[in-house]
């Protein structure tokens, strides 16, 4: 319990530092968020409206410390300001439109890639120098050497444009409004197959090689020799002893990747015009939407911290030695 509380305190300090940086960095940049709106209205904005906008974006009169504590108060109650690109929509509403799509696509793709890669790594290390261990790691490493967007364009051209098996873009068909929930879910799944496949192909080799290396290191330990001497079955030794101990490094990496899922597979979402957070981030950069960029960066950072804290708790359960 004391270990978990110490880790929780560490992540609270990290969260405070992230929020502080999120406040400070935009204010070190030239101009302010209202400049983009003034340019959009071509200068046809009254001084009263400009003052109201500056107040809405948190640029209240007073010292930087006053603005900082005002910003902390707004963040504490979930108020991230107004979006410029989608003005006057709040940033939280804009992020909410893409959060579910990103979490569904990136989360499912990550779980599939991590689970399949980990299982293949365990089997390849256990049966090292076998056929699976000889050809699968090089093949997956070759695929992983290509960037996401190249694999995304490849599967899009092959299975979408040439074979017409899956849709080319978007997350669902707008012409299917009013259909049953099952038909809508199947349509969403069909639209997610190609972007998820691109992510899985690009990341599967990394998970497999990581797990294979950790397994090979564990297989030479005295604990495995003792388990073999006790007469335990090879299957139990492989999963309950070797795989469980080798899983810890991969689990830490999984926590990092799980947090970054919230940021979206940026380039993959652009290729498929998928309405996730990565696509929103690109739109925010193009439109100089500072509040939306701040909100997205803050969500990504806090998600990474939360995911790592959960991984720490799981590590305590998998390896009791960490409790000391």
């Amino acid at each position: 319990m004391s270990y978990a509380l110490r880790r929780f305190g560490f992540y609270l300090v990290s969260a405070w530092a992230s929020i502080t940086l999120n406040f400070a960095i935009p204010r070190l940049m030239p101009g302010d968020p209202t400049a983009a709106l003034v340019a959009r209205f071509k200068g046809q904005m009254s001084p009263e409206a400009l003052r109201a906008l500056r107040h809405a974006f948190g640029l209240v009169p007073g010292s930087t410390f006053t603005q900082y504590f005002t910003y902390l108060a707004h963040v504490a109650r979930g108020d991230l300001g107004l979006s410029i690109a989608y003005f006057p929509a709040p940033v939280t509403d804009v992020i909410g439109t893409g959060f579910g799509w990103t979490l569904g696509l990136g989360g499912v793709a990550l779980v599939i890639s991590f689970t399949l890669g980990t299982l293949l790594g365990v089997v390849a290390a256990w049966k090292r120098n076998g056929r699976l261990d000889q050809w699968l790691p090089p093949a997956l490493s070759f695929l992983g050497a290509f960037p996401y967007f190249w694999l995304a364009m490849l599967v899009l051209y092959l299975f979408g444009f040439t074979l017409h098996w899956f849709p080319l873009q978007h997350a669902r068909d707008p012409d299917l409004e009013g259909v049953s929930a099952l038909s809508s879910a199947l349509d969403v799944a069909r639209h997610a197959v190609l972007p998820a496949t691109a992510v899985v192909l690009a990341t599967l080799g990394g998970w497999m090689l990581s797990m294979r290396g950790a397994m090979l290191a564990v297989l030479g330990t005295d604990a495995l020799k003792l388990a073999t001497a006790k007469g335990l079955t090879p299957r139990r030794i492989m999963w309950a002893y070797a795989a469980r101990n080798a899983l810890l490094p991969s689990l830490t990496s999984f926590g990092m990747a799980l947090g970054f899922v919230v940021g979206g597979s940026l380039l993959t979402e652009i290729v498929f015009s998928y309405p996730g957070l990565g696509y929103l981030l690109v739109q925010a950069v193009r439109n100089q939407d500072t509040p939306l960029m701040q909100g997205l960066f803050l969500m990504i950072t806090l998600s990474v911290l939360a995911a790592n804290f959960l991984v720490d708790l799981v590590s305590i359960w998998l390896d009791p030695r960490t409790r000391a």
Side-chain angles (χ1 to χ4, degrees), residues 196-217:
T197 300
V199 175
V200 171
L201 288 177
T203 58
L204 184 60
W207 295 118
M208 178 184 178
L209 292 176
S210 175
M211 190 62 186
R212 180 183 179 276
M215 276 285 293
L216 291 177

Side-chain angles (χ1 to χ4, degrees), residues 59-71:
L59 303 174
V60 294
S63 65
T64 303
F65 288 103
T66 302
Q67 295 183 16
Y68 174 65
F69 288 109
T70 302
Y71 177 75

